[in-house]
Amino acid sequence: MAEVGTLHEALVDELKDLYNAEKQLTKALPKMAKNATSAPLRQALISHLKETQTQVRRLEQAMRLLDEKVEGKLCDGMQGILKEGNKMMEEVEAGPVLDACLIAGGQRAEHYEIGAYGTCIVWEKQMGHREVVRLLTQTLNEEKAADKKLSKLAESGINAAADFGMEEEEEE
Ligand code: ZN
Ligand code: FE
Ligand code: FE
């Protein structure tokens, strides 16, 4: 039995999926940061954690603006990406290689989100939900920036970054 019959319902479904995906990420990012050796990488993950918490709030606002109940729906896609990430953190020894793998996993998550937000924004535009478009475009831009930052860290050579990271024994 189909439960989604209109584009509005499809949009709400996507927002619930994203809401759950972002919440999963707020739980995963601290562990990823803890496993990072490179200080710049750790910083990038922690700063994206803060953005992600804001993104959760924006989705709540978006659902309220649409007069929908604020609730999530298990995001299997993000769960799969994070499951792979967890396996990787168990298997790879801390250091430059794990850092490279953390970037790879982080970028998978960002790309998933970029795809999902991009779709939602197109649909919201079609349905004239301008305030929701405005909100989620802020998030989409943060996801793109986070992805770019991770690319730069990968390109800058994680070895140099790893050396830098080992000198400090972590403040908050
Ligand atoms: Zn609508
Ligand atoms: Fe996000
Ligand atoms: Fe993100």
Side-chain angles (χ1 to χ4, degrees), residues 151-170:
S151 284
K152 283 227 174 80
L153 283 169
E155 284 159 9
S156 73
I158 208 70
N159 287 343
D163 287 338
F164 179 54
M166 278 183 300
E167 288 164 19
E168 53 163 24
E169 267 308 313
E170 236 18 40

Side-chain angles (χ1 to χ4, degrees), residues 126-146:
Q126 287 171 354
M127 291 184 278
H129 296 303
R130 288 171 59 189
E131 184 62 10
V132 183
V133 169
R134 194 192 60 79
L135 269 173
L136 298 192
T137 300
Q138 289 175 40
T139 295
L140 178 60
N141 289 336
E142 288 171 358
E143 311 293 28
K144 285 179 179 169

Side-chain angles (χ1 to χ4, degrees), residues 28-37 42 45-46 89 94 98 102:
L29 281 164
K31 187 175 173 191
M32 290 171 73
K34 220 177 89 192
N35 277 276
T37 301
R42 201 183 311 133
L45 293 169
I46 289 167
M89 286 189 276
L98 180 58
L102 286 167

Side-chain angles (χ1 to χ4, degrees), residues 6-9 11-12 66 68 123-124 127-129:
T6 65
L7 192 58
H8 181 88
E9 286 166 338
L11 170 64
V12 172
L66 295 171
E68 296 290 340
W123 290 355
E124 289 151 8
M127 291 184 278
H129 296 303

Side-chain angles (χ1 to χ4, degrees), residues 22 25 48 52 55 110 113 117 139 143:
E22 296 287 16
L25 269 174
H48 197 54
T52 302
Q55 294 169 357
E110 293 316 310
E113 294 180 299
Y117 280 110
T139 295
E143 311 293 28

Side-chain angles (χ1 to χ4, degrees), residues 31-155:
K31 187 175 173 191
M32 290 171 73
K34 220 177 89 192
N35 277 276
T37 301
S38 148
L41 175 57
R42 201 183 311 133
Q43 270 319 309
L45 293 169
I46 289 167
S47 87
H48 197 54
L49 169 62
K50 284 173 195 145
E51 285 177 335
T52 302
Q53 286 158 347
T54 304
Q55 294 169 357
V56 168
R57 301 283 94 83
R58 285 195 198 112
L59 285 165
E60 289 169 354
Q61 254 180 289
M63 288 187 263
R64 266 186 238 116
L65 281 165
L66 295 171
D67 281 317
E68 296 290 340
K69 201 162 126 201
V70 175
E71 63 180 9
K73 185 172 175 183
L74 177 66
C75 176
D76 296 298
M78 188 57 75
Q79 194 178 48
I81 289 169
L82 295 177
K83 207 167 159 187
E84 284 188 354
N86 272 319
K87 215 190 280 172
M88 176 265 290
M89 286 189 276
E90 281 167 21
E91 288 169 357
V92 184
E93 207 178 306
V97 177
L98 180 58
D99 283 355
C101 292
L102 286 167
I103 291 173
Q107 289 197 283
R108 275 192 181 78
E110 293 316 310
H111 282 239
Y112 182 93
E113 294 180 299
I114 289 166
Y117 280 110
T119 295
C120 287
I121 289 166
V122 169
W123 290 355
E124 289 151 8
K125 278 184 185 160
Q126 287 171 354
M127 291 184 278
H129 296 303
R130 288 171 59 189
E131 184 62 10
V132 183
V133 169
R134 194 192 60 79
L135 269 173
L136 298 192
T137 300
Q138 289 175 40
T139 295
L140 178 60
N141 289 336
E142 288 171 358
E143 311 293 28
K144 285 179 179 169
D147 178 55
K148 223 176 248 166
K149 203 194 261 180
L150 290 173
S151 284
K152 283 227 174 80
L153 283 169
E155 284 159 9

